[in-house]
Amino acid sequence: MTATIQAPAPTTTPARGVETLTMAQALNRALRDSMAQDESVLVFGEDVGPLGGVFRITDGLTAEFGDQRCFDTPLAEAGIMGFAVGLAMNGMRPVVEMQFDAFAYPAFEQVVSHVAKLRNRTRGALSAPIVIRIPYAGGIGGVEHHCDSSEAYYAHTPGLHVVSPSTPADAYALLRAAIASPDPVVFLEPKKLYWAKGQVELDAPAGEIGTARVVREGTDATLIAYGPSVPTALEAAEVAATEGRSLQVVDVRSIVPFDDETVCAAVRSTGRAVVIAEASGFTSVASEIAARVTERCFHHLAAPVRRVTGFDIPFPPPKLEHFQLPSVDRILDTVDELNWEDA
Amino acid sequence: MHRGIDSLLPSEEPVQHLGADGRLTPLGESAKPDDEALLEGYAALVAARRLNDQAYALVRQGRLAVYPSSHGQEACQVAASLVLGRQDWLFPTYRDSAAVVARGVDPVEVLVLLKGDWHAGYDPREHQVAPQATPLATQLLHAVGVAHAATLRGEDTVVMALCGDGATSEGDFHEALNFAAVFKSPVVFFVQNNEYAISVPLARQSVAPSLAHKGIGYGIPGERVDGNDLAALLSVLGDAVTRARDGEGPQLVEAHTYRMQAHTNADDATRYRNDADVQAWVHRDPLTRVETYLRGRGLLDDAKAADLAEAAEVVAARVRDGLNTDVEPDHRKLFDHVYARRTPQLEEQAALVADELSRETATEDAR
């Protein structure tokens, strides 16, 4: 079985069909639609009010819904997160913005000790349906403390869902589902994809958390990626195709809960797998995926499961960051090493 | 918007209405404590003291893993709850079990945390009491959030947020007071300054003129009160609740009291403080002065005192019975309430434990 959390299908909004949006616009539409649908949804954080957020994700929300629904707070991340816990305890659905990945760390105790545990501590009497939006990862030439891939910290904490979209359509659907979720969701927004355009189905029946998706069919090996690494994996598959190799690409979408079923079915169909992620590889989400795939698909594997990840170094300065990010070449080099001589 | 510093300053000395000798101070004379409230408060003090003693005994008997006692701080415990209405919320710490009980929560459910059956034994919604917080000061921010949600809905809820002197050094204390001030939230921050954070004395936490003075930095009025004087506590906390309910925003109240026992039974207080220091506080006991006062007023006699003691004894017996009853912890609960619905991974792990147990049972049956 797969645990999926369905966002309620919009019932009052008229059909709007499909629009071409950037991921930033899709996230903004998701916030607006959720706020319009549910009065208990509150959006707050640093600079999210009149400015609309440093990435403009909350653009226009204060004007549309008023400064009681979308507002700036004092500059204090633990404060924002603890305040959100209390609001959630008293019937609200907070959506908080941590301005950048590395700026979220002051809130870590509130996330780990309270957001993640409130339901469990109280045996379900209280819960923390909070969405923690985090502009995340590198690839934008950001200076230090602006490019961390922090997913492992959250994924390692029972009680949190952790998702990352790779397309505007998923950004919209997953954020709607996250806001509707009865559980806290860490929503990792790949900064480098904010301006990528795609078609967004605004009347899609429901987003869901907990499912992966095969985003490119292929028969020779499976590339497993999430968030910012998915477009890189797709590009690698495109290049490989010109070289006569058919690579399948799986977008994990939901790190927690993890969709073993879809990922493992994909790997079994090709017998080879490479996991791709920007985060440092040691004790990472990529490592967990590699271990899970190995445990579950061992007899179908023609080669060891490989990882292409960031090095185990602090995120480099802008002029060196390309060394840290998984590249098409590094992915294809790794694919080349998957025991093809035995095939 | 701007408030003058004078309106934020606490009084020179902690507010006192009833002296340690059980007589009204001049301030107490003019305040005229309410007889009915003091008598009700005294009954709660007797119950709170009995609860502290009973829980301490249960630790020695191995029925509780640990008990951070509020012995000596019962006036703070009782007042914090008695000044609240049904619509209000209480945010207690691990040392505030007596306050939680004074709010009406079943003491057996309160002690579930320390007994080790689960983390929180009571439903926080029933009496609007948050789970007792073990991390320091984190709950103060939750209190502000609960208060702000009420404000947004136009409800007249007030939130009483408790912490100790040590917690005022934490960053979350600062952020909570600042958020409450900026959002003008109806929160009363009530600091029980019992002079010690485990072994570390107040002088190592702060050199502020008093902890109540810290409110100035946030634009929050501060007040100091004798933490062993129930009459003064009911007055100061009651006023703070009224002002918060009237939309005047948060207040910081520091009660000066003393932790008469070690941090917990696992602590050895003789390593960091002298017995003479503790003895100096014995004559300032929060129960004695109210009893003396009530007897002097003819509101309490031996028969009435015996009734109160008996009522407290009934509760203590209930606590003993409850704590002496072993509840077989249900392993299936390990995987419940992590999420609203178990993830596929948690289903697998729950099945693993069930399988281990069924094999153990099969092995035992075979013997």
Side-chain angles (χ1 to χ4, degrees), chain A residues 207-251:
Chain A
E208 53 192 13
I209 291 174
T211 57
R213 187 181 290 153
V214 176
V215 292
R216 182 187 172 105
E217 295 293 350
T219 53
D220 294 336
T222 303
L223 305 181
I224 303 165
Y226 53 84
S229 298
V230 174
T232 318
L234 286 168
E235 200 186 328
E238 196 64 39
V239 175
T242 65
E243 297 169 355
R245 195 163 269 163
S246 167
L247 300 184
Q248 181 190 43
V249 179
V250 177
D251 182 349

Side-chain angles (χ1 to χ4, degrees), chain B residues 351-361:
Chain B
L352 177 92
V353 173
D355 181 54
E356 281 175 359
L357 287 172
S358 71
R359 279 185 285 130
E360 268 175 35
T361 312

Side-chain angles (χ1 to χ4, degrees), chain B residues 320-352:
Chain B
R320 279 196 304 276
D321 289 348
L323 274 292
N324 284 324
T325 305
D326 283 321
V327 180
E328 186 60 38
D330 183 352
H331 66 86
R332 286 168 301 190
K333 296 281 180 225
L334 288 172
F335 302 96
D336 291 341
H337 311 307
V338 181
Y339 300 97
R341 271 200 296 164
R342 287 180 183 177
T343 61
Q345 288 75 25
L346 289 182
E347 289 287 5
E348 280 179 23
Q349 292 163 25
L352 177 92

Side-chain angles (χ1 to χ4, degrees), chain A:
Chain A
M1 67 152 277
T2 306
T4 56
I5 292 143
Q6 307 282 317
T11 49
T12 51
T13 38
R16 293 167 304 180
V18 175
E19 285 184 37
T20 301
L21 300 174
T22 63
M23 183 182 281
Q25 289 168 332
L27 291 165
N28 180 263
R29 288 291 283 268
L31 290 170
R32 274 165 60 192
D33 289 350
S34 291
M35 289 177 85
Q37 189 182 36
D38 182 350
E39 278 196 345
S40 68
V41 176
L42 305 177
V43 173
F44 54 93
E46 297 155 5
D47 303 299
V48 301
L51 179 66
V54 294
F55 291 104
R56 306 294 183 267
I57 307 302
T58 58
D59 189 32
L61 298 181
T62 301
E64 186 170 345
F65 297 99
D67 63 4
Q68 295 204 328
R69 299 281 310 279
C70 176
F71 53 92
D72 291 324
T73 65
L75 207 168
E77 293 78 13
I80 292 166
M81 202 64 71
F83 188 57
V85 170
L87 286 161
M89 286 173 75
N90 203 0
M92 298 299 180
R93 285 186 173 267
V95 181
V96 302
E97 178 173 306
M98 297 281 106
Q99 198 160 74
F100 279 88
D101 33 55
F103 298 170
Y105 301 142
F108 199 61
E109 183 188 16
Q110 287 288 348
V111 173
V112 171
S113 294
H114 297 291
V115 174
K117 290 181 179 168
L118 189 61
R119 177 185 294 282
N120 189 252
R121 293 173 72 206
T122 61
R123 289 185 275 204
L126 298 177
S127 59
I130 298 167
V131 178
I132 303 166
R133 293 184 38 247
I134 306 180
Y136 132 100
I140 59 161
V143 295
E144 67 169 344
H145 306 301
H146 289 75
C147 298
D148 281 12
S149 286
S150 41
E151 65 267 32
Y153 306 131
Y154 303 109
H156 194 67
T157 302
L160 302 176
H161 288 316
V162 184
V163 304
S164 186
S166 69
T167 65
D170 263 1
Y172 179 83
L174 286 174
L175 186 52
R176 293 297 309 274
I179 295 170
S181 168
D183 289 307
V185 180
V186 176
F187 197 90
L188 302 170
E189 302 171 359
K191 288 189 285 278
K192 75 170 189 190
L193 301 181
Y194 270 149
W195 304 280
K197 285 187 179 170
Q199 294 212 312
V200 179
E201 204 182 335
L202 295 163
D203 296 320
E208 53 192 13
I209 291 174
T211 57
R213 187 181 290 153
V214 176
V215 292
R216 182 187 172 105
E217 295 293 350
T219 53
D220 294 336
T222 303
L223 305 181
I224 303 165
Y226 53 84
S229 298
V230 174
T232 318
L234 286 168
E235 200 186 328
E238 196 64 39
V239 175
T242 65
E243 297 169 355
R245 195 163 269 163
S246 167
L247 300 184
Q248 181 190 43
V249 179
V250 177
D251 182 349
V252 168
R253 300 169 78 241
S254 171
I255 297 170
V256 183
F258 188 74
D259 184 355
D260 283 304
E261 211 173 304
T262 301
V263 172
C264 290
V267 173
R268 286 188 198 107
S269 75
T270 65
R272 289 177 171 82
V274 177
V275 188
I276 304 153
E278 274 187 40
S280 300
F282 191 76
T283 66
S284 62
V285 169
S287 301
E288 174 64 21
I289 295 173
R292 302 186 78 80
V293 167
T294 303
E295 284 177 342
R296 285 150 202 264
C297 307
F298 185 75
H299 295 291
H300 295 80
L301 291 175
V305 176
R306 293 289 302 271
R307 288 167 291 161
V308 176
T309 67
F311 298 119
D312 300 324
I313 56 174
F315 197 85
K319 290 183 179 171
L320 291 169
E321 77 168 336
H322 60 283
F323 286 105
Q324 178 73 351
L325 304 174
S327 64
V328 169
D329 283 349
R330 207 175 275 161
I331 293 167
L332 293 178
D333 286 350
T334 306
V335 168
D336 282 343
E337 294 168 11
L338 295 176
N339 287 357
W340 299 102
E341 60 278 11
D342 297 341

